[in-house]
Amino acid sequence: MKSRAALGTHPLHPAMVPLPIGAFFLAFVADVTHLVTKNPLFYDVAHFAIGVGIVTALLAAVLGLVDYFGVTMSAAGRRLATIHMLINVAAVSLYAISWVMRRNHAALDTASWPMAFGLEVVPFLMLGVSGWLGGKMSYEHKIGVVEWMDPEATEIGQREAPK
């Protein structure tokens, strides 16, 4: 069930996802810092980081879609992949709404700020759930994994498999 979007045997989707996760985490840290300091610079950093997160999430999504449609999966793996995808689409959509709300300082120190911040916190938590599902897809359902590449590791895995 090797990834179809890979460099050699290394799948690109899991290599790409740290970029939006890092950007979204930076946005959260910048917003919390803005809440504490009231410095508008951190509002701007958060807005920029959310934009970077959205763009890089879309690139990761393209790579994920290549595997979603190109990799043979078990029924359980396909269900997890579908849930993973839907959570990510919803999360990035919420981030996009937050990004639009923040443009031109529209939410800076206004009544719409709590909503813009909430539309950042909720999807960040959603991404945690989605990432956990992504791990299950790789480690339990072998999606994107090159099977039988390392015979010694395969033998160890078969010995340690639950009976």
Side-chain angles (χ1 to χ4, degrees):
M1 295 192 284
K2 178 182 179 281
S3 174
R4 299 291 182 240
L7 283 177
T9 58
H10 194 329
L12 294 175
H13 176 72
M16 182 65 160
V17 295
L19 297 176
I21 292 169
F24 292 140
F25 180 73
L26 175 62
F28 176 75
V29 170
D31 272 341
V32 169
T33 305
H34 171 255
L35 278 172
V36 172
T37 67
K38 301 298 184 206
N39 185 336
L41 171 68
F42 294 107
Y43 176 94
D44 293 334
V45 169
H47 184 240
F48 179 77
I50 290 170
V52 169
I54 291 167
V55 170
T56 56
L58 293 174
L59 293 172
V62 168
L63 297 169
L65 284 171
V66 169
D67 284 344
Y68 184 80
F69 291 110
V71 172
T72 304
M73 301 178 208
S74 66
R78 175 71 61 189
R79 270 191 307 279
L80 281 180
T82 301
I83 294 167
H84 174 77
M85 175 181 60
L86 293 174
I87 291 171
N88 286 334
V89 167
V92 173
S93 297
L94 294 175
Y95 274 118
I97 294 167
S98 179
W99 185 84
V100 168
M101 288 179 72
R102 295 163 184 261
R103 284 187 340 185
N104 300 318
H105 289 179
L108 180 62
D109 301 326
T110 68
S112 60
W113 164 248
M115 178 63 82
F117 183 64
L119 289 171
E120 171 188 22
V121 173
V122 170
F124 192 73
L125 297 173
M126 292 168 69
L127 293 178
V129 172
S130 177
W132 179 74
L133 293 176
K136 285 182 70 70
M137 289 162 39
S138 294
Y139 293 109
E140 294 178 17
H141 298 278
K142 309 297 186 205
I143 297 170
V145 174
V146 179
E147 291 287 343
W148 319 118
M149 184 122 186
D150 182 342
E152 181 184 7
T154 301
E155 181 184 329
I156 292 168
Q158 289 173 337
R159 271 196 319 255
E160 293 180 0
K163 304 288 182 212

